[in-house]
């Protein structure tokens, strides 16, 4: 999420329900007769020593580290450095391990916290230093030395449906799954550690579809041929009931051409566009009245060059069937596919005879199969049944306002165009209407 909206860490705020309290911090400015500027005091506050009569004035700026507190033990390996500054024109954060090696990380956009690039090592000692420089050019520092917790025995696995360098369609949601349900009042913490970067920039949001799965989609379809990177910093993060995230996760994918399919039940035709231009019209047969196709926006979930549809157990010997199928592309978990149906070629474009699938000819099925990718969207219009949300990757079957409600964090539109970290502002790309 865009760091200005979803802060990487809730600096200075206590967890609701009294589950966690921040360490108390003592702010002190030490003055001595000797003329010198020193680092932070042992209590994690700003510290400066100035001259006596006629000596150098203290810095205007001041800094205080609120979390982790100085000398804290059993600190989660996911900890951020949370701090406050006053009168600061510039602020920097440095974290080093016990050998003096610097830890990579970055500042939150709000300038109130700093998050390591990855989980810290378990059972190790680190020193954080925050340096604040005022308009007088003088620096004030605060330090906190702390020790991370031992490796926990209860860890939750985090996984991604997509893998590095995969090329997907413009409707593909980013899907992250957890090996154990995340309690509702911990999902905001998890979501703060989940970032999406798209180039070019595109506004989007995370949406929790269940306690074990969260997805991300942009406001409109991904821009064709864009690149998308997403990161889940779950390693060492407390996730409720004594459980912690097992490890961090990062994935880089590429979005392919804008290959979009639209099916109109009135005309019994599919219109295919590529990057906004119509490239093909295909005759179809949809579900008959007793088994209508679903109207709504779906995406291709999986592709099967050859398979067997077997409904004997589900429908029984009178209604069930066992049929070999070519060029099958799954759209719903309930069994709706785009597929070649040579037995219905004589009525395609005129009559609906399928059991809910989008029937096309062998020739058109072959062409579609060769050109589609996982995540390519298809919108079906005008049938007797509406698509049920959750029956497939139905993220695009929800309005943007509905989708935003699934976020564990309050959503705010992007403030500045060109910010390439989610959510961001860009010219919207086309989105079909059901």
């Amino acid at each position: 999420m865009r760091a200005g909206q979803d802060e990487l860490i809730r600096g200075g705020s206590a967890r609701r329900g009294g589950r966690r309290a921040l360490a108390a911090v003592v702010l002190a400015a030490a003055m001595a007769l000797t003329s010198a500027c020193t680092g932070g005091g042992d209590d994690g506050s700003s510290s400066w020593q100035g001259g006596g009569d006629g000596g150098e004035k203290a810095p205007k700026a001041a800094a205080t580290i609120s979390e982790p507190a100085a000398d804290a033990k059993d600190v989660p390996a996911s900890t951020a450095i949370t701090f406050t500054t006053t009168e600061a024109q510039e602020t920097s954060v440095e974290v080093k391990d016990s050998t003096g090696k610097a830890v990579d990380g970055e500042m939150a956009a709000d300038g109130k916290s700093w998050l390591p690039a990855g989980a810290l090592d378990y059972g190790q000692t680190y020193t954080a230093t925050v340096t604040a420089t005022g308009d007088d050019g003088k620096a004030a520092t605060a330090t906190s030395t702390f020790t991370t917790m031992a490796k926990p025995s209860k860890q939750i696995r985090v996984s991604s449906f997509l893998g590095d360098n995969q090329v997907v369609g413009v409707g593909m949601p980013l899907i992250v799954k957890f090996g154990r349900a995340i309690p509702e009042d911990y999902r905001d913490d998890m979501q703060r550690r989940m970032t999406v970067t798209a180039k070019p920039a595109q506004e989007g949001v995370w949406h929790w579809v269940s306690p074990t799965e969260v997805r991300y989609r942009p406001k409109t379809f991904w821009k064709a041929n864009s690149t998308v990177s997403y990161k889940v910093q779950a390693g060492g993060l407390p996730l409720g009931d004594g459980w912690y995230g097992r490890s961090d996760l990062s994935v880089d994918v590429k979005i392919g051409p804008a290959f979009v399919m639209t099916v109109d039940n009135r005309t019994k035709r599919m219109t295919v566009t590529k990057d906004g231009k119509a490239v093909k019209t295909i005759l179809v047969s949809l579900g008959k009245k007793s088994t209508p196709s679903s109207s709504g926006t779906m995406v291709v979930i999986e592709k099967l060059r050859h398979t067997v549809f077997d409904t004997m157990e589900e429908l029984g010997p009178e209604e069930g069937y066992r049929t070999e199928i070519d060029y099958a592309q799954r759209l719903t978990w309930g069994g709706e596919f785009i597929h070649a149906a040579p037995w219905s070629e004589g009525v395609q474009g005129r009559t609906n005879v399928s059991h809910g699938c989008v029937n096309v000819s062998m020739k058109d099925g072959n062409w579609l199969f060769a050109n589609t990718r996982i995540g390519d969207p298809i919108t079906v219009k005008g049938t007797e049944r509406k698509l049920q949300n959750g029956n497939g990757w139905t993220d695009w079957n929800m309005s943007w306002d509905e989708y935003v409600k699934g976020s564990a964090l309050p959503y705010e539109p992007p403030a500045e165009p060109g910010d390439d970290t989610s959510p961001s502002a860009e010219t919207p790309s086309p989105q079909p209407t059901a």
Side-chain angles (χ1 to χ4, degrees), residues 286-297:
L286 300 177
K288 55 189 177 182
K289 286 189 176 181
S290 60
T291 54
S293 302
S294 296
S295 284
T297 299

Side-chain angles (χ1 to χ4, degrees), residues 42-381:
D42 293 338
D43 61 359
S45 65
S46 307
S47 180
W48 183 86
Q49 292 182 349
D53 294 341
E56 187 179 357
K57 292 183 179 180
K60 285 185 178 181
T64 303
I65 297 176
S66 56
E67 191 176 11
D71 300 321
K73 309 295 183 184
D74 296 325
V75 174
S78 62
T79 189
I81 309 303
T82 306
F83 57 89
T84 57
T85 61
T86 57
E87 300 290 334
Q89 298 294 308
E90 294 181 5
T91 303
S92 63
V93 179
E94 184 177 57
V95 177
K96 293 184 177 181
D97 64 17
S98 57
T99 68
K101 182 180 179 181
V103 176
D104 290 335
E106 62 181 13
M107 192 83 76
D110 66 354
K112 296 179 181 179
S113 62
W114 182 94
L115 187 66
L120 301 176
D121 293 334
Y122 290 110
Q124 298 298 317
T125 299
Y126 293 86
T127 298
T129 302
V130 176
T131 302
T133 304
D135 58 11
D136 57 358
K138 297 176 182 178
T141 61
T143 62
S144 176
T145 297
F146 59 92
T147 303
T148 55
M149 66 185 292
K151 185 176 181 179
S153 59
K154 299 164 68 175
Q155 295 182 307
I156 299 176
R157 183 173 180 267
V158 183
S159 61
S160 166
F161 177 83
L162 298 176
D164 277 337
N165 303 316
Q166 198 165 345
V167 182
V168 295
V170 295
M172 184 69 208
L174 311 181
I175 303 173
V176 174
K177 293 187 176 183
F178 301 92
R180 185 179 186 275
I182 308 301
E184 188 172 358
D185 59 348
Y186 281 81
R187 295 176 199 169
D188 55 349
D189 277 352
M190 184 67 263
Q191 197 171 316
R192 284 185 176 86
R193 305 299 183 95
M194 303 174 68
T195 55
V196 178
T197 302
K199 296 184 181 297
Q202 294 156 77
E203 180 181 357
V205 72
W206 290 101
H207 175 99
W208 291 80
V209 298
S210 77
T212 60
E213 183 174 336
V214 60
R215 299 183 196 158
Y216 181 100
R217 55 155 271 203
K219 189 172 183 178
T220 56
F221 288 152
W222 295 108
K223 292 181 181 297
N225 305 310
S226 56
T227 58
V228 178
S229 300
Y230 54 106
K231 186 173 185 178
V232 181
Q233 291 185 256
L237 184 67
L239 293 175
D241 301 325
W243 289 83
Y244 294 79
R246 177 180 296 178
S247 60
D248 295 341
L249 172 73
S250 60
V251 181
D252 299 316
V253 297
K254 183 174 181 179
I255 308 301
F259 192 92
V260 178
M261 297 163 281
T262 304
V263 176
D264 190 337
N265 184 40
R266 183 180 59 84
T267 62
K268 308 292 188 292
R269 281 163 172 75
M270 174 193 291
T271 301
V272 181
T273 63
K274 185 175 182 180
D275 294 331
K277 297 180 179 180
V279 293
K280 197 171 184 66
T281 299
I282 296 173
L283 302 180
V284 303
S285 177
L286 300 177
K288 55 189 177 182
K289 286 189 176 181
S290 60
T291 54
S293 302
S294 296
S295 284
T297 299
M298 299 156 274
V299 300
V300 175
I301 296 173
E302 67 173 339
K303 298 177 64 173
L304 304 168
R305 170 59 184 83
H306 182 80
T307 189
V308 175
F309 286 179
D310 188 345
T311 64
M312 296 298 291
E313 183 176 346
E314 177 187 355
L315 301 178
E318 293 185 4
E319 293 291 331
Y321 56 90
R322 186 180 292 109
T323 306
E324 293 189 356
I325 300 291
D326 288 310
Y327 307 119
Q329 304 190 60
R330 180 184 289 275
L331 304 178
T332 71
W333 304 126
E336 295 182 45
F337 288 75
I338 306 169
H339 67 82
W343 56 86
S344 70
E345 287 187 13
V347 297
Q348 289 170 12
R350 296 187 292 111
T351 308
N352 291 335
V353 298
S354 85
H355 287 78
C357 292
V358 179
N359 285 183
V360 299
S361 68
M362 285 292 288
K363 180 179 179 181
D364 289 333
N366 182 15
W367 183 86
L368 282 170
F369 198 87
N371 283 277
T372 57
R373 290 180 169 82
I374 299 298
D376 279 338
I378 175 173
T379 297
V380 177
K381 302 178 181 180

